[in-house]
Amino acid sequence: MNHSTSILLEVKNLEVKFSSGNDIFTAVKGISFHLNQGETLSIVGESGSGKSVTSLSIMQLIPSPPGKITGGEINYFGREEKINLLSLNEHNMRSFRGKDIAMIFQEPMTSLNPVFTCGDQILEAILLHQKCSKKEAKIKAIELFNEVQLPRPESIFEAYPHQLSGGQKQRVMIAMALSCEPSILIADEPTTALDVTVQKTILQLLKTIQQKRQMGIIFITHDLGVVAEISDRALVMQNGSVVEEGSVVDLFKNPKHPYTKGLLACRPPLDKRYIHLPTVSDFLQNENVFQPVEITKNDREQNHTELYSSDPVLEVKNLKTHFPLKKNIFGKTTAWVKAVDDVSFKVYKGETLGLVGESGCGKTTIGRSIVQLVNSISGEINYKGQQLFELKTEELRLIRKKIQIIFQDPYSSLNPRIPIGKAIQEPMNVHGILNTEKERKEYVINLLEKVSLKPEHFYRYPHEFSGGQRQRICIARALAVQPEFIICDESVSSLDVSVQAQVLNLLNDLKSEFQLTYIFISHDLSVVKFMCDRMIVMNKSGKIEQMDEADAVYANPQTEYTKTLIDSIPKGF
């Protein structure tokens, strides 16, 4: 990417601290960097590395208390003279925020006001910083919606956030950030929860707009694959410090720090299969001797022969799950959303079957249909000879003991008022597993240790854990009823790539130890390829696009849709 060498932003010895009672935690430890005009600088690291705190410091949005910028300078060069943003009071900082430096936040749904239309929200930003009439502001807003390639801009102007898809909401946020033509755009994990295809279009969109406007972009992410797609330079942060800095090509081809090597290695590779994914801790402990063990083609072929020599444990036949879209004045449905439309497949004991596709392709609905959390309109679901659609309530309850589901968002899956030990133990009480309270508690503590948590965590509440720890709690809760079959529904999609690697390894270890069978649902084809024996690619019509061994799907995609999914995976250098 061609860019000017004129500096737009200079951060010098930035230090940020947070207080909690008598404890003081240093989140950012004297870091320095600069951003050039027309350049994309990525700040990379795990959750807690200080990357988002750094971006919020630039915008002067650190919540005080408990946070406080305790040292350094943040110099902005976009106006006639150099200005240290840390010297400005809140009133003066508002003239820079949005106008000169804009920010796209990680979760657009929480950044957009649900009670105002998307048009009203972008009008507010334009009228706040620019001298123009409401009519002129609306014309500019529609132009911005066109620029960020939103379909039917006039309709989206009148729409509320809940009426848009995740990718569309993110485009509205980008349009809002661009509305006052800033010279610097800070993008904080703007693609983390998006499908790989939507992620790719958002990254391409940011590139195109940057080249057109010659903005400087600070792009914050935990995924070095994404960094390779969009960045010129990168800072790698760990525990509040910069451990490595350089051009993206150098960081990928010749990483110096063990932490950088670990971040690069823990993403599932596309050209080989490991028994265990490398993790950051593997490299930090001993980078020179760590070598992941690869699964050979002969091992895979032998495993496939063993898996498919027996009868399937689950058979789905011609499954249709439709949801009402429109009803007439008499309450009769006149239009349907065909979430799952005539889908058939088998799952064998000990197998991990992957369901992959974009949002809205029906993969989650299949999982929920299997455990009867949504009602299907036709088809069959047979589990070990039992037709699940024909079961009575008590019979279905017994089946749900055997077939468990791990949901995408662990925080909303846990009751915030119940300690996690009690939450894990609750389904054991329902299904009458073990005889006494003491035995159940001991079993739960044993499960906590199996998912790499501690016995003392039994009495802690969900808000006291990280995202990765909460996902481990949900895995332990699924295991508590001693199931045979687990449906993992996007169970790693919102995790850092390093934590994701740990959870994927854990799921494979537990599968082997407890002789489990998995359906693994994800929009990330590289993760599905690592985890799964076979893969089903779903399209947006709720139909199966391709079904084959996971490696065969990647090596030989049969349709344009599958090729597009594969091409959208960030591949690095």
Side-chain angles (χ1 to χ4, degrees), residues 57-78:
S57 299
I58 295 168
M59 297 292 287
Q60 301 292 286
L61 291 175
I62 296 290
S64 179
K68 188 177 181 182
I69 298 172
T70 53
E73 297 177 19
I74 300 175
N75 296 313
Y76 176 67
F77 295 87

Side-chain angles (χ1 to χ4, degrees), residues 26 142 466 501:
T26 305
I142 299 292
S466 69

Side-chain angles (χ1 to χ4, degrees), residues 546-560:
Q546 185 173 350
M547 177 165 48
D548 206 336
E549 292 180 9
D551 294 283
V553 171
Y554 179 74
N556 188 24
Q558 297 293 307
T559 69
E560 284 302 317

